[in-house]
Amino acid sequence: MASSSRTQVISLYRMLMRESKKFPSYNYRTYALRRVKDGFRENRIVDNPKTLDLLLNQARESLAVIKRQVSIGQLYSAQKTIVEEKGL
């Protein structure tokens, strides 16, 4: 992996993680964080530039979806779960 694509991947990973942490719902938040981690772990050995570009585009689309869902989720408040209330 070239250094420029490596920095792009790391930057995109950080943006996805940061945005996923903004979900107001505990269940959506943990699901999004788990999916981001698993997706990047699963594809960490990709060397083919075309495949890498395809995966980067999919990750950018996922980032847009997460941003949209976070903003929608913030419009409608929900009760906090017991896990969130106690801070466990």
Side-chain angles (χ1 to χ4, degrees):
M1 183 180 331
S3 65
S4 65
S5 63
R6 178 175 168 80
T7 57
Q8 284 180 341
V9 169
I10 292 171
S11 173
L12 191 55
Y13 176 77
R14 287 181 179 162
M15 285 190 290
L16 282 162
M17 293 297 286
R18 195 175 307 125
E19 202 62 35
S20 295
K21 289 178 184 178
K22 293 180 183 178
F23 272 110
S25 171
Y26 173 79
N27 291 329
Y28 289 128
R29 185 171 52 247
T30 55
Y31 175 76
L33 289 169
R34 186 175 61 245
R35 288 285 296 146
V36 169
K37 287 178 190 175
D38 290 347
F40 274 82
R41 252 187 231 131
E42 184 179 305
N43 296 307
R44 71 174 180 235
I45 57 172
V46 173
D47 289 335
N48 186 354
K50 289 183 181 184
T51 306
L52 186 62
D53 285 341
L54 178 69
L55 290 169
L56 284 172
N57 287 334
Q58 288 176 351
R60 287 184 188 107
E61 290 173 8
S62 295
L63 179 62
V65 169
I66 290 172
K67 284 182 177 184
R68 185 171 56 244
Q69 289 303 117
V70 165
S71 64
I72 290 171
Q74 290 173 348
L75 294 175
Y76 305 102
S77 63
Q79 280 186 323
K80 294 209 179 270
T81 61
I82 293 175
V83 175
E84 291 176 298
E85 288 175 1
K86 301 285 183 178
L88 298 175

